[in-house]
Short mmCIF file of all heavy atoms in Angstrom, two decimals:
data_model
loop_
_atom_site.label_atom_id
_atom_site.label_comp_id
_atom_site.label_asym_id
_atom_site.label_seq_id
_atom_site.Cartn_x
_atom_site.Cartn_y
_atom_site.Cartn_z
N LEU I 15 96.78 113.55 155.92
CA LEU I 15 96.75 114.93 155.37
C LEU I 15 98.20 115.12 154.92
O LEU I 15 99.15 115.16 155.68
CB LEU I 15 96.45 115.97 156.50
CG LEU I 15 95.01 115.75 157.07
CD1 LEU I 15 94.91 116.80 158.34
CD2 LEU I 15 93.92 116.00 156.02
N THR I 16 98.39 115.35 153.56
CA THR I 16 99.79 115.42 153.04
C THR I 16 99.91 116.56 152.00
O THR I 16 98.96 116.95 151.36
CB THR I 16 100.13 114.14 152.25
OG1 THR I 16 99.28 113.98 151.20
CG2 THR I 16 100.11 112.95 153.22
N ALA I 17 101.09 117.26 152.08
CA ALA I 17 101.46 118.20 151.05
C ALA I 17 102.52 117.57 150.26
O ALA I 17 103.48 117.06 150.75
CB ALA I 17 101.91 119.51 151.69
N ASN I 18 102.42 117.78 148.85
CA ASN I 18 103.27 117.02 147.99
C ASN I 18 103.87 117.98 146.97
O ASN I 18 103.26 118.93 146.52
CB ASN I 18 102.49 115.93 147.28
CG ASN I 18 101.73 114.97 148.21
OD1 ASN I 18 102.36 114.11 148.76
ND2 ASN I 18 100.43 115.30 148.49
N LYS I 19 105.07 117.58 146.41
CA LYS I 19 105.75 118.34 145.36
C LYS I 19 106.19 117.29 144.39
O LYS I 19 106.88 116.30 144.79
CB LYS I 19 106.91 119.16 145.88
CG LYS I 19 107.69 119.85 144.77
CD LYS I 19 108.94 120.46 145.24
CE LYS I 19 109.71 121.07 144.05
NZ LYS I 19 110.13 120.07 143.06
N GLU I 20 105.99 117.53 143.12
CA GLU I 20 106.36 116.61 142.09
C GLU I 20 107.70 117.07 141.44
O GLU I 20 107.93 118.32 141.32
CB GLU I 20 105.31 116.40 141.06
CG GLU I 20 104.22 115.54 141.40
CD GLU I 20 103.40 115.04 140.30
OE1 GLU I 20 103.67 115.50 139.17
OE2 GLU I 20 102.43 114.27 140.52
N SER I 21 108.47 116.19 140.96
CA SER I 21 109.71 116.50 140.22
C SER I 21 109.37 116.96 138.79
O SER I 21 108.48 116.46 138.18
CB SER I 21 110.60 115.27 140.16
OG SER I 21 111.74 115.58 139.24
N GLN I 22 110.12 117.93 138.28
CA GLN I 22 109.94 118.41 136.94
C GLN I 22 110.31 117.30 135.92
O GLN I 22 109.82 117.38 134.81
CB GLN I 22 110.81 119.65 136.71
CG GLN I 22 110.37 120.89 137.40
CD GLN I 22 109.13 121.44 136.69
OE1 GLN I 22 108.75 121.05 135.58
NE2 GLN I 22 108.46 122.44 137.37
N HIS I 23 111.06 116.42 136.36
CA HIS I 23 111.56 115.34 135.41
C HIS I 23 110.96 113.99 135.73
O HIS I 23 111.56 112.98 135.44
CB HIS I 23 113.00 115.37 135.40
CG HIS I 23 113.73 116.56 134.93
ND1 HIS I 23 113.77 116.98 133.59
CD2 HIS I 23 114.29 117.56 135.66
CE1 HIS I 23 114.42 118.09 133.55
NE2 HIS I 23 114.75 118.54 134.79
N ARG I 24 109.79 113.95 136.39
CA ARG I 24 109.12 112.68 136.65
C ARG I 24 108.73 112.12 135.30
O ARG I 24 108.18 112.78 134.42
CB ARG I 24 107.94 112.89 137.56
CG ARG I 24 107.27 111.60 137.92
CD ARG I 24 106.12 111.86 138.86
NE ARG I 24 105.04 112.66 138.24
CZ ARG I 24 104.01 112.15 137.54
NH1 ARG I 24 104.05 110.82 137.37
NH2 ARG I 24 103.08 112.88 137.01
N PRO I 25 108.90 110.80 135.11
CA PRO I 25 108.52 110.16 133.83
C PRO I 25 107.06 110.42 133.52
O PRO I 25 106.26 110.33 134.41
CB PRO I 25 108.87 108.64 134.04
CG PRO I 25 109.95 108.69 135.04
CD PRO I 25 109.59 109.89 135.96
N PHE I 26 106.72 110.75 132.22
CA PHE I 26 105.45 110.90 131.73
C PHE I 26 104.72 112.05 132.38
O PHE I 26 103.49 112.26 132.28
CB PHE I 26 104.56 109.62 131.94
CG PHE I 26 105.16 108.38 131.49
CD1 PHE I 26 105.67 107.42 132.26
CD2 PHE I 26 105.27 108.16 130.03
CE1 PHE I 26 106.28 106.24 131.81
CE2 PHE I 26 105.76 106.99 129.59
CZ PHE I 26 106.29 105.99 130.42
N ARG I 27 105.49 112.94 132.95
CA ARG I 27 104.91 114.20 133.43
C ARG I 27 104.59 115.17 132.33
O ARG I 27 105.49 115.47 131.42
CB ARG I 27 105.82 114.79 134.45
CG ARG I 27 105.34 116.28 134.99
CD ARG I 27 106.32 116.69 136.03
NE ARG I 27 106.20 118.15 136.22
CZ ARG I 27 105.27 118.69 137.00
NH1 ARG I 27 104.38 117.94 137.61
NH2 ARG I 27 105.24 120.01 137.12
N LYS I 28 103.39 115.78 132.26
CA LYS I 28 103.06 116.83 131.34
C LYS I 28 103.68 118.12 131.71
O LYS I 28 103.72 118.48 132.85
CB LYS I 28 101.59 116.94 131.15
CG LYS I 28 100.87 115.76 130.60
CD LYS I 28 99.36 115.98 130.53
CE LYS I 28 98.69 114.68 129.89
NZ LYS I 28 97.21 115.00 129.72
N SER I 29 104.22 118.89 130.75
CA SER I 29 104.89 120.14 131.01
C SER I 29 104.53 121.20 129.99
O SER I 29 103.72 120.93 129.05
CB SER I 29 106.38 120.00 131.09
OG SER I 29 106.88 119.61 129.90
N ASN I 30 105.20 122.29 130.06
CA ASN I 30 104.92 123.37 129.05
C ASN I 30 105.94 123.30 127.92
O ASN I 30 106.34 124.31 127.35
CB ASN I 30 104.95 124.75 129.77
CG ASN I 30 106.31 124.98 130.42
OD1 ASN I 30 107.13 124.10 130.50
ND2 ASN I 30 106.42 126.19 130.93
N ARG I 31 106.41 122.12 127.53
CA ARG I 31 107.30 121.89 126.45
C ARG I 31 106.61 121.05 125.35
O ARG I 31 105.80 120.27 125.67
CB ARG I 31 108.65 121.20 126.84
CG ARG I 31 109.45 121.96 127.83
CD ARG I 31 110.81 121.28 128.09
NE ARG I 31 110.54 119.86 128.70
CZ ARG I 31 111.55 119.03 128.94
NH1 ARG I 31 112.79 119.28 128.54
NH2 ARG I 31 111.26 117.87 129.47
N ALA I 32 106.90 121.35 124.11
CA ALA I 32 106.17 120.59 123.04
C ALA I 32 107.17 120.26 121.96
O ALA I 32 108.17 120.91 121.68
CB ALA I 32 105.01 121.48 122.58
N PHE I 33 106.87 119.21 121.14
CA PHE I 33 107.73 118.89 119.97
C PHE I 33 107.44 119.79 118.87
O PHE I 33 106.36 120.22 118.56
CB PHE I 33 107.35 117.46 119.52
CG PHE I 33 107.97 116.41 120.40
CD1 PHE I 33 107.26 115.66 121.30
CD2 PHE I 33 109.40 116.06 120.19
CE1 PHE I 33 107.86 114.71 122.06
CE2 PHE I 33 109.92 115.07 120.99
CZ PHE I 33 109.22 114.42 121.91
N THR I 34 108.54 120.14 118.14
CA THR I 34 108.45 120.82 116.85
C THR I 34 108.25 119.85 115.80
O THR I 34 108.44 118.70 115.95
CB THR I 34 109.73 121.67 116.68
OG1 THR I 34 110.89 120.74 116.48
CG2 THR I 34 110.04 122.59 117.84
N PRO I 35 107.87 120.34 114.56
CA PRO I 35 107.73 119.44 113.42
C PRO I 35 109.05 118.68 113.13
O PRO I 35 109.03 117.62 112.53
CB PRO I 35 107.31 120.29 112.31
CG PRO I 35 106.62 121.41 112.94
CD PRO I 35 107.42 121.68 114.25
N GLN I 36 110.11 119.30 113.44
CA GLN I 36 111.45 118.69 113.17
C GLN I 36 111.75 117.61 114.25
O GLN I 36 112.81 116.93 114.18
CB GLN I 36 112.54 119.72 113.03
CG GLN I 36 112.45 120.61 111.87
CD GLN I 36 111.42 121.64 112.02
OE1 GLN I 36 110.97 121.95 113.22
NE2 GLN I 36 110.94 122.28 110.90
N GLY I 37 110.98 117.50 115.26
CA GLY I 37 111.26 116.53 116.40
C GLY I 37 112.03 117.06 117.49
O GLY I 37 112.38 116.25 118.34
N TYR I 38 112.26 118.32 117.62
CA TYR I 38 113.01 118.95 118.76
C TYR I 38 112.03 119.58 119.72
O TYR I 38 110.88 119.99 119.35
CB TYR I 38 113.99 119.96 118.23
CG TYR I 38 115.06 119.44 117.28
CD1 TYR I 38 114.91 119.57 115.97
CD2 TYR I 38 116.12 118.69 117.76
CE1 TYR I 38 115.84 119.00 115.04
CE2 TYR I 38 117.04 118.13 116.94
CZ TYR I 38 116.93 118.30 115.55
OH TYR I 38 117.86 117.74 114.76
N PHE I 39 112.55 119.72 120.97
CA PHE I 39 111.68 120.35 121.92
C PHE I 39 111.79 121.83 121.78
O PHE I 39 112.95 122.42 121.59
CB PHE I 39 112.19 119.95 123.38
CG PHE I 39 111.63 118.64 123.80
CD1 PHE I 39 112.50 117.58 123.99
CD2 PHE I 39 110.24 118.50 124.01
CE1 PHE I 39 112.08 116.43 124.39
CE2 PHE I 39 109.83 117.29 124.42
CZ PHE I 39 110.67 116.22 124.66
N ASN I 40 110.71 122.53 121.89
CA ASN I 40 110.59 123.94 121.98
C ASN I 40 109.82 124.40 123.16
O ASN I 40 108.79 123.72 123.49
CB ASN I 40 110.08 124.58 120.75
CG ASN I 40 111.02 124.69 119.55
OD1 ASN I 40 112.23 124.69 119.79
ND2 ASN I 40 110.57 124.84 118.35
N GLU I 41 110.23 125.33 123.88
CA GLU I 41 109.44 125.82 125.04
C GLU I 41 108.29 126.68 124.51
O GLU I 41 108.45 127.47 123.57
CB GLU I 41 110.34 126.69 125.94
CG GLU I 41 111.52 125.91 126.59
CD GLU I 41 110.93 124.90 127.61
OE1 GLU I 41 109.88 125.07 128.08
OE2 GLU I 41 111.68 123.96 127.89
N LEU I 42 107.15 126.44 124.91
CA LEU I 42 105.92 127.18 124.60
C LEU I 42 106.07 128.53 125.33
O LEU I 42 106.33 128.68 126.42
CB LEU I 42 104.69 126.51 124.98
CG LEU I 42 104.45 125.17 124.23
CD1 LEU I 42 103.16 124.51 124.73
CD2 LEU I 42 104.44 125.36 122.72
N THR I 43 105.75 129.50 124.53
CA THR I 43 105.88 130.81 125.05
C THR I 43 104.67 131.31 125.79
O THR I 43 104.76 132.26 126.59
CB THR I 43 106.17 131.88 123.96
OG1 THR I 43 105.13 131.83 122.97
CG2 THR I 43 107.50 131.56 123.25
N ASP I 44 103.54 130.66 125.63
CA ASP I 44 102.37 131.00 126.33
C ASP I 44 102.43 130.59 127.73
O ASP I 44 103.07 129.57 128.07
CB ASP I 44 101.09 130.54 125.64
CG ASP I 44 101.04 129.04 125.61
OD1 ASP I 44 101.78 128.51 124.88
OD2 ASP I 44 100.33 128.41 126.41
N ASN I 45 101.86 131.28 128.61
CA ASN I 45 101.93 131.06 130.09
C ASN I 45 100.71 130.29 130.47
O ASN I 45 100.22 130.52 131.61
CB ASN I 45 102.01 132.35 130.82
CG ASN I 45 103.33 132.99 130.54
OD1 ASN I 45 104.38 132.39 130.34
ND2 ASN I 45 103.31 134.32 130.34
N ARG I 46 100.28 129.32 129.70
CA ARG I 46 99.06 128.48 130.14
C ARG I 46 99.48 127.65 131.34
O ARG I 46 100.62 127.21 131.45
CB ARG I 46 98.50 127.63 129.00
CG ARG I 46 99.55 126.61 128.48
CD ARG I 46 99.01 125.89 127.31
NE ARG I 46 99.93 124.96 126.75
CZ ARG I 46 99.71 124.17 125.73
NH1 ARG I 46 98.57 124.21 125.12
NH2 ARG I 46 100.62 123.29 125.33
N PRO I 47 98.54 127.31 132.25
CA PRO I 47 98.87 126.57 133.47
C PRO I 47 99.21 125.13 133.13
O PRO I 47 98.72 124.61 132.15
CB PRO I 47 97.62 126.66 134.31
CG PRO I 47 96.44 126.93 133.33
CD PRO I 47 97.08 127.73 132.22
N LEU I 48 100.06 124.52 134.00
CA LEU I 48 100.29 123.10 133.79
C LEU I 48 99.18 122.21 134.17
O LEU I 48 98.40 122.51 135.00
CB LEU I 48 101.47 122.78 134.79
CG LEU I 48 102.82 123.45 134.52
CD1 LEU I 48 103.85 123.05 135.58
CD2 LEU I 48 103.37 123.23 133.09
N ASN I 49 99.03 121.09 133.45
CA ASN I 49 97.99 120.09 133.77
C ASN I 49 98.21 119.43 135.09
O ASN I 49 97.32 118.97 135.76
CB ASN I 49 97.85 119.05 132.66
CG ASN I 49 97.32 119.57 131.36
OD1 ASN I 49 96.53 120.56 131.42
ND2 ASN I 49 97.78 119.02 130.25
N GLU I 50 99.50 119.32 135.47
CA GLU I 50 99.86 118.65 136.76
C GLU I 50 100.72 119.69 137.57
O GLU I 50 101.86 120.03 137.17
CB GLU I 50 100.67 117.39 136.55
CG GLU I 50 99.90 116.34 135.82
CD GLU I 50 100.70 115.06 135.72
OE1 GLU I 50 101.75 114.96 136.30
OE2 GLU I 50 100.19 114.13 134.99
N PRO I 51 100.20 120.20 138.68
CA PRO I 51 100.89 121.18 139.41
C PRO I 51 102.07 120.65 140.07
O PRO I 51 102.27 119.39 140.29
CB PRO I 51 99.87 121.68 140.40
CG PRO I 51 98.96 120.52 140.60
CD PRO I 51 98.87 119.84 139.24
N ASP I 52 103.04 121.53 140.39
CA ASP I 52 104.31 121.12 141.15
C ASP I 52 103.95 120.80 142.56
O ASP I 52 104.45 119.88 143.15
CB ASP I 52 105.31 122.18 141.01
CG ASP I 52 105.93 122.30 139.61
OD1 ASP I 52 105.81 121.29 138.88
OD2 ASP I 52 106.44 123.38 139.24
N HIS I 53 103.02 121.61 143.16
CA HIS I 53 102.63 121.43 144.54
C HIS I 53 101.19 121.13 144.69
O HIS I 53 100.36 121.86 143.94
CB HIS I 53 102.99 122.66 145.40
CG HIS I 53 104.47 123.01 145.34
ND1 HIS I 53 105.20 123.70 144.39
CD2 HIS I 53 105.45 122.74 146.27
CE1 HIS I 53 106.39 123.81 144.65
NE2 HIS I 53 106.66 123.24 145.82
N TYR I 54 100.85 120.27 145.46
CA TYR I 54 99.41 119.97 145.64
C TYR I 54 99.23 119.20 146.96
O TYR I 54 100.07 118.67 147.54
CB TYR I 54 98.84 119.07 144.47
CG TYR I 54 99.55 117.74 144.36
CD1 TYR I 54 99.04 116.58 145.00
CD2 TYR I 54 100.68 117.58 143.57
CE1 TYR I 54 99.63 115.35 144.97
CE2 TYR I 54 101.33 116.30 143.50
CZ TYR I 54 100.79 115.30 144.20
OH TYR I 54 101.37 114.04 144.07
N GLY I 55 98.00 119.34 147.44
CA GLY I 55 97.64 118.56 148.65
C GLY I 55 96.82 117.28 148.35
O GLY I 55 96.20 117.21 147.29
N ASN I 56 96.92 116.26 149.12
CA ASN I 56 96.25 115.04 148.94
C ASN I 56 95.76 114.58 150.31
O ASN I 56 96.49 113.86 151.09
CB ASN I 56 97.14 113.97 148.31
CG ASN I 56 96.32 112.69 147.93
OD1 ASN I 56 95.10 112.75 147.95
ND2 ASN I 56 97.13 111.66 147.77
N ASN I 57 94.52 114.88 150.69
CA ASN I 57 93.95 114.58 151.99
C ASN I 57 92.90 113.57 151.82
O ASN I 57 91.99 113.68 150.94
CB ASN I 57 93.41 115.90 152.67
CG ASN I 57 94.55 116.96 152.80
OD1 ASN I 57 95.69 116.67 153.04
ND2 ASN I 57 94.12 118.20 152.65
N LEU I 58 93.01 112.57 152.63
CA LEU I 58 92.08 111.35 152.59
C LEU I 58 91.44 111.09 153.99
O LEU I 58 92.04 111.26 155.05
CB LEU I 58 92.85 110.13 152.17
CG LEU I 58 93.28 110.04 150.77
CD1 LEU I 58 94.24 108.89 150.52
CD2 LEU I 58 92.12 109.94 149.78
N LEU I 59 90.19 110.65 153.92
CA LEU I 59 89.56 110.17 155.08
C LEU I 59 88.65 109.00 154.57
O LEU I 59 87.67 109.14 153.86
CB LEU I 59 88.61 111.25 155.68
CG LEU I 59 87.75 110.83 156.91
CD1 LEU I 59 88.63 110.37 158.06
CD2 LEU I 59 86.79 111.93 157.31
#
């Protein structure tokens, strides 16, 4: 039974940032939920 927190800068982590056509990062202004939460439980039996 574990409680876990992921780093915001974990490699290949999906976030609420996206590339612009010019190749720069822009923060998305919509408040859609992250695909990978920062905190989650992982319980196994």
Side-chain angles (χ1 to χ4, degrees):
L15 301 175
T16 62
N18 307 277
K19 176 189 178 299
E20 285 195 355
S21 170
Q22 287 287 348
H23 299 284
R24 184 176 66 84
F26 305 108
R27 171 177 163 83
K28 293 182 180 180
S29 68
N30 58 353
R31 296 185 301 174
F33 280 105
T34 65
Q36 292 78 18
Y38 298 101
F39 281 113
N40 278 341
E41 297 292 337
L42 298 179
T43 57
D44 59 288
N45 295 321
R46 61 184 180 180
L48 299 176
N49 291 332
E50 297 183 7
D52 290 337
H53 298 84
Y54 61 92
N56 184 20
N57 302 325
L58 288 169
L59 178 63

